Amino acid sequence: MNDDQSKCGRRAGYHHGRLKEALIEAARRLAAERGLAGVSLAAIAKRVGVTAAAPYRHFADRDALMSELARRGFAQFADELIAAWDGGTPDPVAAARRMGEAYLGFARREPGLYASMFGQATALDAPASGAAADRALDALRRAASAMLTRAGAPQADARALAMQIWSLTHGVAMLTISGHLAPGRAGCDPADVLGPGVKALVESAARAAGEAASGPWGRKG
């Protein structure tokens, strides 16, 4: 019997290392198609074509698999945000605009990863996924700090501003994924919503910093 004949009547299995990647890819696709509620280890195993017990060779449970998917998503997300920021050149405003475009582009292109990253906070409880998320948030914080500096405001509130920008951008991204906003649609282009919103947040933060510095009597000191 030759090698081809020996394979008849049995399903080719995944070699060590391949199964884990196949499971993660199946989870990503299912999350994109069905949302997180449609992702289970049984559904993942069925998509891959292995037994229901096979995923447990690599993951203790569904949460462990989703945590790894979130980690990979945040790692890629952070890389794209940092590349878009490009050191803040030619100026923080232009760089932040690119970063916003990169954020929205990632969410549209990778809805499965995006869902795993933001759909369940417990996915970030693991040190590795939490660190990956922190790296992405730190990229936003550095951008917020640079924009505050450009506006002549102190950087003390950079983290708070970064959280506000993240919240706004996430909302725009979710509305885009669900189809309420769409690139090129008059009055509903995500970039046209996000840009003025970020500008207003930065101006508000700078104004608040100036008022705080002036003191209760309208002057510094």
Side-chain angles (χ1 to χ4, degrees):
M1 181 180 294
N2 60 34
D3 289 342
D4 290 337
Q5 290 174 321
S6 69
K7 295 178 182 178
C8 293
R10 66 181 176 85
R11 181 170 55 197
Y14 283 95
H15 296 295
H16 179 70
R18 289 181 58 202
L19 176 58
K20 181 177 181 179
E21 295 304 315
L23 294 170
I24 293 170
E25 176 60 16
R28 183 185 71 82
R29 290 181 178 275
L30 285 169
E33 296 167 9
R34 307 178 185 178
L36 291 187
V39 181
S40 66
L41 288 183
I44 292 168
K46 184 177 181 180
R47 174 65 63 92
V48 173
V50 296
T51 67
Y56 293 98
R57 299 176 193 171
H58 295 284
F59 300 100
D61 51 28
R62 176 188 180 276
D63 288 347
L65 194 159
M66 298 309 295
S67 179
E68 172 60 14
L69 187 62
R71 183 195 68 78
R72 295 186 181 203
F74 270 114
Q76 180 180 334
F77 183 57
D79 286 344
E80 294 187 17
L81 292 182
I82 292 169
W85 176 248
D86 193 22
T89 59
D91 61 75
V93 173
R97 188 177 299 113
R98 289 197 307 269
M99 184 179 275
E101 292 169 354
Y103 190 120
L104 297 179
F106 178 89
R108 289 195 303 268
R109 192 176 66 255
E110 294 286 357
L113 287 179
Y114 196 78
S116 73
M117 292 156 57
F118 295 111
Q120 190 172 330
T122 54
L124 305 182
D125 288 345
S129 57
D134 287 344
R135 180 168 170 257
L137 181 58
D138 190 58
L140 293 176
R141 184 198 58 76
R142 289 197 302 270
S145 178
M147 286 188 287
L148 286 173
T149 298
R150 187 178 189 273
Q155 300 180 24
D157 294 331
R159 183 175 177 82
L161 177 59
M163 293 296 289
Q164 292 168 4
I165 292 173
W166 170 35
S167 299
L168 170 64
T169 311
H170 177 70
V172 173
M174 292 302 294
L175 289 171
T176 303
I177 291 172
S178 62
H180 294 291
L181 300 177
R185 184 185 299 171
C188 296
D189 190 304
D192 292 342
V193 175
L194 182 60
V198 171
K199 181 174 183 290
L201 287 174
V202 174
E203 290 177 347
S204 176
R207 185 166 56 251
E211 291 171 354
S214 296
W217 308 113
R219 68 179 188 278
K220 294 183 180 180

